[in-house]
Amino acid sequence: MTETEIPEDHPRYASLVTRHRIEAGVEKGITSKQGLIAQGRGEAFDYLLGERTLPSADAAARAAAATLLSAERPVLSVNGNVAALAPAETVDLAEAVDADVEVNLFNHTDERARRIADHLREHGADEVKGLAGDGEIPGLDHARGTVDADGIEAADVVVVPLEDGDRAEALDAMGKTEIVIDLNPGSRSPRTADVPIIDNLIRAVPNVTAHARDLADASPATRRDAIDSFDAAEALAEAEAAIRKGTFATPDDEVPNDEAADAEASNADMVGDTSAR
Ligand code: ATP
């Protein structure tokens, strides 16, 4: 079945499209087999979140847009899952916030990086970084720490969707402002981020772009407010509370504040130490 053959009125349409894109990414040599496993993990969390954008994830997307618009050298990091799931949406976001796009792979091969760069160009990217590999993220081994010197190494703000926890922590140690998109609020990467967006990449990237377009002509004070009014710990707690509430959530459901507060209080116990992953 091709993507266009999936019936739009199917109750699990979005999920089926996502699966199809990841499968096509593997076939095209841009997504790794580990990427399939990461997708499965993400799907499970999305199911528990009710496959919707929580109000706190929307606030995170707005804070992310304001942060990117205020950045000097913003970079969007693209791995095999991002390239398969949202190539055109990533290029749109890069245009809206004037950011560079850099291929950055956990399981790096030159061949896969080149294919991803080509795939992004097919979806409208002018310039794609990540093929020079002349920079590094200190504290990581060569394979995982290689980046472009004039890309991620020099960036002040990086968007790292579906990032590995070690690399998120190493980027944080370099002093980068990190925006992480990840469906698991217990994963190390969003817990390290300045702006964790707990949402499906497929919904989050266009949402950040929409907020960026809305904030493009906003005053510095309005942008500052979007950043300052966002509370990362609260957003993680709200997502966790929604997940604990389970799969019966509907898009209109609010997560009561006391539940979010309870979740925050017991966060360490319930989420557990993910550092061994
Ligand atoms: P960490 O090292 O930070 O603890 P992890 O071991 O949980 O990370 P992986 O197993 O590599 O990370 O999984 C990738 C992460 O990407 C998971 O947290 C998963 O929820 C998330 N993910 C997968 N697909 C999507 C998607 N479409 N949108 C957002 N997040 C996703």
Side-chain angles (χ1 to χ4, degrees):
M1 193 189 274
T2 65
E3 184 174 322
T4 48
E5 284 165 354
I6 300 169
E8 281 185 39
D9 60 351
H10 192 290
R12 307 207 53 74
Y13 175 76
S15 169
L16 292 176
V17 167
T18 306
R19 283 185 192 180
H20 184 273
R21 286 191 191 169
I22 285 285
E23 215 183 314
V26 174
E27 275 162 18
K28 207 172 168 186
I30 59 176
T31 308
S32 68
K33 287 184 188 155
Q34 284 90 340
L36 287 173
I37 297 167
Q39 167 64 25
R41 190 191 271 218
E43 254 190 43
F45 280 102
D46 205 14
Y47 192 76
L48 292 170
L49 280 166
E51 295 173 345
R52 66 201 159 128
T53 299
L54 294 175
S56 54
D58 186 54
R62 194 165 178 81
T67 303
L68 285 163
L69 287 168
S70 310
E72 303 256 317
R73 299 189 71 153
V75 173
L76 314 184
S77 171
V78 176
N79 64 21
N81 285 49
V82 178
L85 291 178
E89 294 81 352
T90 300
V91 173
D92 275 355
L93 174 58
E95 276 170 15
V97 299
D98 198 14
D100 282 333
V101 172
E102 176 163 342
V103 181
N104 184 22
L105 304 178
F106 184 69
N107 301 293
H108 180 95
T109 67
D110 289 345
E111 175 63 19
R112 198 152 70 86
R114 250 194 323 272
R115 283 181 193 213
I116 291 177
D118 288 344
H119 185 67
L120 290 169
R121 286 193 202 98
E122 280 163 27
H123 286 85
D126 290 332
E127 199 201 336
V128 181
K129 294 190 189 293
L131 302 177
D134 52 353
E136 63 161 344
I137 306 173
L140 297 177
D141 57 74
H142 179 73
R144 291 192 303 155
T146 302
V147 289
D148 276 15
D150 66 350
I152 288 177
E153 187 179 296
D156 54 347
V157 176
V158 284
V159 179
V160 278
L162 285 61
E163 184 56 285
D164 154 70
D166 280 352
R167 287 207 300 191
E169 285 174 1
L171 286 166
D172 184 53
M174 286 175 89
K176 311 286 181 205
T177 297
E178 274 187 271
I179 298 165
V180 168
I181 302 170
D182 197 307
L183 281 156
N184 178 2
S187 193
R188 268 183 301 156
S189 322
R191 302 184 86 76
T192 305
D194 298 275
V195 183
I197 307 177
I198 308 300
D199 201 3
N200 197 319
L201 172 85
I202 276 194
R203 297 189 296 270
V205 174
N207 198 23
V208 178
T209 305
H211 281 298
R213 297 216 163 105
D214 187 47
L215 287 167
D217 299 320
S219 67
T222 303
R223 284 189 198 169
R224 191 74 253 160
D225 184 55
I227 297 169
D228 291 346
S229 61
F230 173 71
D231 184 324
E234 238 174 58
L236 292 170
E238 189 187 324
E240 194 198 329
I243 285 169
R244 285 211 256 150
K245 198 169 168 189
T247 56
F248 302 109
T250 68
D252 296 330
D253 276 354
E254 291 291 328
V255 178
N257 283 338
D258 55 343
E259 257 185 65
D262 284 353
E264 193 167 5
S266 62
N267 223 1
D269 292 346
M270 296 303 295
V271 174
D273 179 7
T274 58
S275 59
R277 281 189 209 145

